[in-house]
Amino acid sequence: MACVSPDGKPTQTGKKVLQALRDNGVSSAEKVAETTGVALFRVRSGLRDMVTADLAEKVGEEFKITEKGIELAD
Amino acid sequence: MEECKDTSISLPRLGDKAPDFNTETTHGNLTLDDFKGSWIILFSHPADFTPVCTTEFIAFAEIYPDLQKRGVELLGLSVDSLSSHIAWARNVEEKTGVKIPFPIIADLSKEVSTAYGMVHPGQSKTETVRCVFIIDDKHVIRTILYYPLSTGRNMQEILRIVDALQTTDKNGVATPANWNPGDKVIIPAPNTQEAAEERVKQSDYECVDWYLCKKNL
């Protein structure tokens, strides 16, 4: 996984993505990429990982951080 | 009589939609859709920890910022494991100081390399040859280059092709032999006799004849 390690913890890039979701609220992948400076393809892949790991959830075409994501964002 | 089944795989050609993939890379699981809106250079190399490929990876890493300025993402591929890719990228950084900033597909199953026709059995039955697929932002294949195992690729030519394609798309022109950004471009040839007569009278074009006229952008 690009943004979540096999132990379920977010990587440095993963934390950047989570912090962007926490600070900006519900966001599109494009908005997260713009905020973090992480390449858009990595953000899209990372958000997919985060949904699988229950760190983020999909809201239509956008994403929202979960309680578990907030705990692991820092 | 037994029916003959055609088991040949049709190779992607220019103008085709790039085949989809969903694959493991050194930057995690990636799909073609993750690159939506970006140009992509998908390139294959024969194997990790080999000399020509190492020089190419360093060279690709060097042009990566130039590609990003043009809205292009790089994606490498070989029939090696993820562990091998990670170890090789770390080794390249340790020995040369160059960090490999783009993802590399670990295509052990040969799913992606088969879909893109990257294994040429006449060269090697187990390794991919040096392919370069330039895919535009609508994920249409715009250029395919094949190099043999023994010949490293020319990064300036890859950049030049991207510049030429993007210039063509933006301005509706073509580019002559050995064109480089800043050089004159070719205006599409007229398709009627009247337009041909008008074309040669246009003073702002540099014309050899009605079918070959150039202009500055």
Side-chain angles (χ1 to χ4, degrees):
Chain A
M1 286 193 189
C3 287
V4 184
S5 294
D7 62 5
K9 290 181 183 161
T11 60
Q12 283 305 312
T13 304
K15 283 184 180 175
K16 275 191 195 175
V17 171
L18 283 178
Q19 286 160 12
L21 287 180
R22 182 193 60 195
D23 299 343
N24 298 331
V26 177
S27 303
S28 63
E30 288 78 3
K31 172 79 179 166
V32 173
E34 195 187 309
T35 310
T36 58
V38 175
L40 181 55
F41 76 88
R42 284 194 73 180
V43 170
R44 286 178 178 141
S45 161
L47 286 169
R48 197 163 56 241
D49 292 349
M50 290 191 173
V51 170
T52 305
D54 197 26
L55 302 176
E57 62 184 81
K58 231 179 155 184
V59 183
E61 290 303 306
E62 299 188 314
F63 296 87
K64 176 181 155 188
I65 194 166
T66 61
E67 286 300 319
K68 190 176 165 190
I70 292 169
E71 278 171 32
L72 296 175
D74 289 309
Chain B
M1 221 164 76
E2 205 177 313
E3 260 185 59
C4 286
K5 216 176 181 178
D6 183 7
T7 55
S8 61
I9 295 161
S10 98
L11 300 179
R13 288 176 290 194
L14 300 188
D16 287 353
K17 274 273 181 198
D20 273 329
F21 55 78
N22 183 335
T23 187
E24 293 309 315
T25 80
T26 50
H27 287 197
N29 172 271
L30 289 176
T31 67
L32 179 64
D33 216 34
D34 288 333
F35 294 89
K36 195 167 64 181
S38 289
W39 287 62
I40 310 166
I41 293 183
L42 170 62
F43 69 97
S44 56
H45 66 281
D48 298 345
F49 293 101
T50 52
V52 178
C53 301
T54 302
T55 64
E56 287 189 317
F57 263 64
I58 292 168
F60 273 119
E62 284 169 354
I63 66 162
Y64 187 52
D66 294 322
L67 289 169
Q68 285 188 304
K69 280 181 205 154
R70 292 160 169 82
V72 183
E73 288 295 342
L74 265 178
L75 183 55
L77 176 151
S78 75
V79 184
D80 286 294
S81 69
L82 213 44
S83 305
S84 171
H85 285 335
I86 292 168
W88 185 41
R90 287 172 62 89
N91 183 257
V92 169
E93 186 175 359
E94 186 191 321
K95 300 294 179 192
T96 69
V98 176
K99 194 175 180 74
I100 304 302
F102 49 82
I104 315 167
I105 296 174
D107 195 34
L108 277 178
S109 67
K110 291 191 188 167
E111 242 176 77
V112 182
S113 47
T114 301
Y116 280 83
M118 292 168 161
V119 177
H120 294 196
Q123 283 273 301
S124 169
K125 287 185 174 65
T126 54
E127 298 168 324
T128 45
V129 293
R130 300 182 197 285
C131 301
V132 180
F133 285 81
I134 301 181
I135 299 165
D136 72 15
D137 52 353
K138 293 173 187 69
H139 291 175
V140 172
I141 297 172
R142 302 291 298 275
T143 301
I144 303 173
L145 302 170
Y146 292 117
Y147 290 68
L149 299 176
S150 57
T151 306
R153 283 162 275 206
N154 184 321
M155 301 301 141
Q156 291 313 309
E157 173 61 358
I158 291 169
L159 276 176
R160 194 189 75 90
I161 295 170
V162 170
D163 283 334
L165 289 169
Q166 294 186 344
T167 298
T168 296
D169 286 359
K170 190 176 169 197
N171 301 288
V173 294
T175 53
N178 300 321
W179 177 88
N180 273 299
D183 292 350
K184 287 185 172 154
V185 295
I186 293 175
I187 306 141
N191 52 10
T192 65
Q193 199 166 341
E194 184 187 22
E197 283 160 14
E198 284 167 9
R199 175 65 57 87
V200 288
K201 288 180 198 152
Q202 272 184 272
S203 57
D204 49 339
Y205 295 164
E206 178 192 296
C207 290
V208 171
D209 206 338
W210 64 273
Y211 62 89
L212 174 53
C213 292
K214 294 183 191 174
K215 68 170 184 179
N216 285 311
L217 278 179

